[in-house]
Amino acid sequence: MACRIGELVFGCRDPEVLARFWCEVLDFVVLDREDDGSVEIGPREGFGGAQPTIFLSRRDEPERGKPRLHIDVNATDRDQDAELERLLKLGARTADIGQTGEESWHVLADPEGNEFCLLKARLAPL
């Protein structure tokens, strides 16, 4: 038997801001709020479904060094250019990590600077 990802954890200064951003990006909902200000978001069916939840853990200081994990997202109902425009309107910004411009993906950052990539391939919604 193998493991599967149940949740992804982000340390962040303002979990509510990132919850709104990622809920819009992924069509997620807030599943839980902790007393310390942390927020868990995920698919409408909740924890344990086909997609992992995202736990936004309140941290006042950013962690040192570059994170080794980032999220890749794929549009489900529009092409990459239209999805890029939507993400930028939601508060994402382009990020330069040394890409050449020939890549088939876009490197973006969420409102707190966490990098993620918008891939070209479109996936069917779950």
Side-chain angles (χ1 to χ4, degrees):
M1 185 168 190
C3 292
R4 72 177 182 83
I5 296 171
E7 67 184 25
L8 301 171
V9 179
F10 280 77
C12 57
R13 288 180 299 276
D14 193 338
E16 290 292 337
V17 167
L18 285 190
R20 283 191 299 275
F21 176 80
W22 285 108
C23 280
E24 286 292 327
V25 170
L26 301 170
D27 192 29
F28 276 12
V29 296
V30 172
L31 299 173
D32 192 27
R33 287 185 169 84
E34 301 286 324
D35 291 338
D36 68 357
S38 297
V39 179
E40 185 170 17
I41 64 172
R44 296 177 193 288
E45 62 270 11
F47 183 81
Q51 297 184 72
T53 63
I54 297 176
F55 189 83
L56 302 159
S57 176
R58 177 141 172 47
R59 305 239 176 93
D60 291 329
E61 295 296 321
E63 294 180 27
R64 295 181 59 170
K66 184 176 175 155
R68 292 184 169 184
L69 176 73
H70 71 266
I71 293 176
D72 288 344
V73 298
N74 298 76
T76 59
D77 63 350
R78 66 197 84 206
D79 67 24
Q80 185 187 41
D81 291 337
E83 184 64 0
L84 176 62
E85 184 178 329
R86 185 181 83 89
L87 296 176
L88 293 171
K89 285 180 182 174
L90 291 173
R93 58 188 185 279
T94 59
D96 183 359
I97 59 167
Q99 58 269 46
T100 66
E102 299 298 317
E103 294 82 5
S104 62
W105 62 87
H106 295 279
V107 182
L108 303 167
D110 71 16
E112 285 203 7
N114 300 302
E115 294 167 356
F116 68 101
C117 294
L118 171 61
L119 304 181
K120 187 163 185 78
R122 199 162 100 186
L123 297 178
L126 292 175

